[in-house]
Amino acid sequence: MTKTIVSDGSLPNIPWEPRPAGSSDIVWRFSKNPVIPRHASPTADSIYNSAVVPFKGGFAGVFRCDDRARNMTLRVGKSRDGVNFEISDNRLEFHSEEPEIGKFLEGYDPRVVPLDGRYYVIWCNNYHGYTIGLGWTEDFEHFNQLENVFLPFNRNGVLFPRKIGGEYLMMSRPSYAGHTPFGDIFISHSKDLTYWGKHRHVMGPKKDGGLVNWQMTKIGAGPYPIETREGWLLFYHGVLTTCNGFTYSMGAALLDLEKPWQVRYRTRPYLLTPETLYENVGNTQNVLFPCAALTDSDSGRIALYYGAADTCTGMAFCQVDELLDYLKNNSDV
Ligand code: BMA
């Protein structure tokens, strides 16, 4: 039988736990959540919205660690099993030949994308305002920083894991200086990872004729998209404005393989919403913010990492075929 997941191949040691008995949820939480507690590094105030990839038979990643001055740092983490992580106590430093770029001030919400034999790191970088920073590593020891991708203000930069039509593709969410109360996902193209253009609109918040819904305020791409034989599977966060501020939930969309700005399906209901104590209570209440997914093409298993309440990191699981069926039957593009 043809495998549904095309990208990344076999990962027999993908972290996994079956759906709990009695549950019919399409995406279910790990019983050991939160897998990364806020003080997993002794100098961290919180560890969340972070990115993990398979590395040398185990797992490595770039983690958002807000320190005890509440400065936003990126740090390297390593794990044998993808569940128990050792997080560095030192902030990650990027090397750059270009002094203007090397002024790395702060960063948050990293994504890590394997591409062309490298691991590209994309994060929200402060360069006279928040924009999309880009760098790469081969060994999770030495990191090189490239030119910032866009002008401020922009957030949620997510690189596609392969070129399409000979070009790199980057998703992003143009925004403004504050806690943005709007936001659509766009795709931009580049031949060299330096100059970006050919901007295409992917999708925006769901207006639903004014009806209240979980993704009505803003949306942003989550983990790098998963290539399936039916299209790019994108997990994304959607935000609802309530009397208590923003609520961040997770949904999914299926994007066209060749023109991924064309949305084929998009979940009308959320897949996960903050409803456990560690998602409801923390530095920022009611936040569930996915930044990474592991896949195993043999079993169709997907393991997601998400930030919980801007404090700690949780995991959740799903099966790709069940998710695609659900998407098709519960879609509202
Ligand atoms: C966004 C980002 C995320 C954060 C979220 C909820 O604007 O700052 O890092 O998780 O708000 O506070």
Side-chain angles (χ1 to χ4, degrees):
M1 210 185 103
T2 330
K3 291 173 187 166
T4 305
I5 296 176
V6 177
S7 48
D8 294 338
S10 303
L11 188 63
N13 59 338
I14 188 171
W16 184 253
E17 184 176 71
R19 175 188 281 112
S23 164
S24 56
D25 289 342
I26 294 299
V27 180
W28 58 94
R29 289 172 179 78
F30 197 16
S31 61
K32 296 194 175 123
N33 275 353
V35 288
I36 306 177
R38 64 188 301 169
H39 298 318
S41 154
T43 56
D45 164 81
S46 41
I47 307 175
Y48 59 108
N49 300 6
S50 300
V52 175
V53 288
F55 181 67
K56 289 192 172 169
F59 301 88
V62 176
F63 292 79
R64 171 173 179 174
C65 291
D66 296 357
D67 67 18
R68 292 190 180 198
R70 291 295 292 267
N71 291 151
M72 300 184 291
T73 69
L74 301 179
R75 301 192 196 174
V76 171
K78 302 251 175 78
S79 172
R80 291 229 48 76
D81 58 6
V83 175
N84 298 289
F85 281 88
E86 271 182 34
I87 311 281
S88 167
D89 246 348
N90 303 313
R91 59 182 280 167
L92 185 164
E93 301 288 350
F94 284 94
H95 169 78
S96 173
E97 299 294 335
E98 169 56 57
E100 187 66 18
I101 291 306
K103 292 177 194 158
F104 182 78
L105 293 176
E106 55 178 357
Y108 65 94
D109 297 359
R111 282 28 171 220
V112 177
V113 182
L115 171 65
D116 296 342
R118 292 175 168 175
Y119 299 94
Y120 283 93
V121 185
I122 307 103
W123 70 97
C124 194
N125 187 31
N126 184 348
Y127 180 76
H128 303 272
Y130 294 117
T131 182
I132 306 302
L134 177 64
W136 59 272
T137 183
E138 288 173 337
D139 54 11
F140 286 89
E141 307 278 337
H142 306 95
F143 288 82
N144 302 283
Q145 191 173 352
L146 305 173
E147 294 286 337
N148 289 309
V149 178
F150 302 115
L151 293 169
F153 297 91
N154 205 312
R155 290 182 171 92
N156 295 300
V158 178
L159 189 63
F160 276 69
R162 69 167 171 86
K163 291 180 177 174
I164 300 176
E167 296 187 299
Y168 298 100
L169 270 68
M170 179 81 80
M171 280 180 276
S172 74
R173 211 234 4 243
S175 54
Y176 82 164
H179 294 293
T180 323
F182 61 87
D184 295 25
I185 299 175
F186 288 81
I187 284 177
S188 306
H189 294 75
S190 174
K191 291 189 193 311
D192 56 8
L193 290 173
T194 299
Y195 298 97
W196 295 87
K198 274 170 58 183
H199 311 292
R200 298 283 182 272
H201 184 259
V202 181
M203 57 183 182
K206 194 155 263 311
K207 295 304 173 196
D208 257 358
L211 298 183
V212 171
N213 67 83
W214 68 272
Q215 49 182 335
M216 67 184 291
T217 301
K218 56 179 172 176
I219 59 170
Y224 72 81
I226 298 164
E227 185 171 3
T228 75
R229 59 186 154 83
E230 301 197 41
W232 293 100
L233 175 59
L234 174 70
F235 292 97
Y236 66 96
H237 67 259
V239 177
L240 164 68
T241 306
T242 75
C243 307
N244 287 326
F246 292 152
T247 295
Y248 285 67
S249 306
M250 182 187 83
L254 195 69
L255 314 178
D256 185 79
L257 274 181
E258 297 311 315
K259 296 182 176 171
W261 48 93
Q262 294 180 357
V263 182
R264 296 181 56 203
Y265 302 101
R266 172 180 184 179
T267 43
R268 182 172 171 75
Y270 56 71
L271 292 168
L272 283 179
T273 197
E275 61 182 45
T276 67
L277 197 60
Y278 55 90
E279 295 158 357
N280 292 135
V281 178
N283 286 342
T284 312
Q285 62 185 4
N286 304 327
V287 180
L288 193 151
F289 197 98
C291 284
L294 303 171
T295 60
D296 173 34
S297 57
D298 293 336
S299 61
R301 292 174 174 176
I302 300 176
L304 291 153
Y305 295 86
Y306 64 90
D310 288 359
T311 302
C312 55
T313 302
M315 291 186 74
F317 306 106
C318 61
Q319 277 280 352
V320 71
D321 290 324
E322 286 180 5
L323 177 58
L324 291 181
D325 278 352
Y326 182 82
L327 249 175
K328 289 175 193 164
N329 294 319
N330 295 275
S331 175
D332 185 7
V333 172

